[in-house]
């Protein structure tokens, strides 16, 4: 949907998961076997992945200043993670059990929070989009996944509303 480069590091996993649902068309690629394989999901895991996806979208919308996010906190409370320390002394969070999608997402969120990239993963403010994107702008103030599509639509709607209000 957008022309931006993917999110850095493990945040690309979250971006890809959120973007499995095209809100405008209603197409949900989590139903496709190749998407399930990409996220290492069994068919019975898909409903939980949908709940996780929407909690992540809510968090990305909150990063963009649209609402608040509480669902993700509750989901990540069940993520099995532990602190590991490498031989060189570098610490990191890693899944402590089977590497589930929830554990991989929790690891990505923790890593992104530690390196300052998590808050730049946002969702487009266009109501018919909410596509996830990584905000690379210097001030971290991007509002749309694509200025050419969602930004242009929003600006045109605003222009037409002002013009119509002036005609009355």
């Amino acid at each position: 949907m957008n022309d931006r480069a993917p999110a850095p590091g493990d945040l690309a996993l979250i971006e890809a998961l959120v973007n499995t649902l095209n809100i405008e068309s209603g197409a949900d690629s989590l139903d496709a076997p190749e998407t399930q394989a990409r996220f290492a999901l069994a068919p019975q895991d898909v409903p939980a992945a949908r709940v996780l996806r929407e909690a992540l979208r809510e968090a990305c919308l909150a990063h963009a200043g649209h609402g608040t996010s509480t669902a993700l906190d509750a989901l990540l409370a069940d993520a099995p993670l532990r602190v590991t320390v490498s031989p060189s002394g570098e610490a990191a969070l890693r899944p402590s059990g089977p590497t589930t999608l929830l554990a991989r997402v929790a690891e990505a969120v923790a890593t992104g929070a530690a390196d300052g990239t998590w808050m730049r993963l946002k969702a487009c403010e266009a109501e018919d989009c909410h596509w996830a994107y990584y905000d690379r702008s210097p001030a971290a103030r991007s509002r749309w996944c694509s200025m050419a599509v969602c930004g242009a639509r929003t600006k045109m709607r605003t222009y037409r509303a002002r013009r119509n209000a002036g005609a009355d």
Side-chain angles (χ1 to χ4, degrees), residues 122-141:
K122 299 179 178 182
C124 180
E125 76 174 37
E127 289 294 322
D128 57 350
C129 182
H130 293 315
W131 204 253
Y133 67 93
Y134 186 76
D135 184 355
R136 287 184 163 75
S137 68
R141 291 186 163 194

Side-chain angles (χ1 to χ4, degrees), residues 152-167:
R153 286 179 186 168
T154 302
K155 289 182 175 200
M156 184 54 72
R157 286 182 193 128
T158 302
Y159 167 76
R160 287 182 180 153
R162 267 196 325 263
R163 190 179 69 181
N164 290 340

Side-chain angles (χ1 to χ4, degrees), residues 41-52:
L41 295 172
Q44 65 269 19
D45 298 330
V46 172
R50 283 193 176 102
V51 170
L52 178 59

Side-chain angles (χ1 to χ4, degrees), residues 27-118:
D28 186 347
S29 65
L30 278 180
D31 294 324
E34 59 273 6
T35 304
Q36 292 173 13
R38 177 180 181 193
F39 293 107
L41 295 172
Q44 65 269 19
D45 298 330
V46 172
R50 283 193 176 102
V51 170
L52 178 59
R53 173 184 67 199
E54 295 313 311
L56 288 164
R57 185 184 318 280
E58 183 182 279
C60 290
L61 283 165
H63 293 170
H66 303 285
T68 58
S69 171
T70 57
L72 188 59
D73 183 56
L75 289 173
L76 294 182
D78 295 331
L81 297 177
R82 67 183 182 93
V83 176
T84 62
V85 180
S86 72
S88 64
E90 189 175 333
L93 281 177
R94 299 283 182 241
S96 63
T99 307
T100 63
L101 179 59
L102 181 63
R104 291 168 47 211
V105 165
E107 181 182 2
V109 169
T111 301
D115 67 16
T117 57
W118 167 238

